[in-house]
Amino acid sequence: MNAAIKDQQLESIPDWQAHCIAAGLIARHCSVTEAGMASVGKELKDLFGHGDAEWRDLQSDRRGIGCARTAATDTELRSCCVTRQQPAVENSPADPATPLG
């Protein structure tokens, strides 16, 4: 999974786009199952560690997996994630800016 997102410069873009791209790349180069596991695992690590677990991150990961299903290349995947809007607040089970824990 780390190889799928290596050298993608995800630190320099908005967090929700980075989540979308990372999950999409893992889905394209590994599997949808592994992308889902990485998504949930990352948020659990944030929840019990020093990160900020947010519902919006999970929504963005799910969006990235959806982009991976239609993208023929990594460039198309990145474009899909960048052109889609940030996940809406009203679709979240809780305020996405509020930590999960």
Side-chain angles (χ1 to χ4, degrees), residues 5-98:
I5 60 172
K6 184 180 179 191
D7 301 325
Q8 292 296 319
Q9 300 172 340
L10 299 177
E11 313 81 30
S12 62
I13 60 176
D15 186 56
W16 65 272
Q17 288 179 356
H19 273 270
C20 182
I21 293 167
L25 288 170
I26 294 169
R28 279 198 83 236
H29 295 281
C30 302
S31 71
V32 170
T33 301
E34 288 171 294
M37 290 171 49
S39 173
V40 171
K42 162 62 167 81
E43 292 312 302
L44 287 173
K45 180 181 174 187
D46 287 348
L47 182 63
F48 294 108
H50 298 289
D52 294 320
E54 296 179 344
W55 288 112
R56 184 172 286 159
D57 292 347
L58 294 172
Q59 288 178 311
S60 295
D61 293 337
R62 185 173 165 197
R63 184 180 304 248
I65 293 169
C67 287
R69 293 180 195 269
T70 59
T73 66
D74 290 351
T75 302
E76 286 181 17
L77 169 74
R78 184 178 279 272
S79 178
C80 177
C81 286
V82 170
T83 58
R84 288 186 172 195
Q85 293 183 355
Q86 183 173 0
V89 173
E90 62 271 9
N91 293 333
S92 300
D95 179 12
T98 303

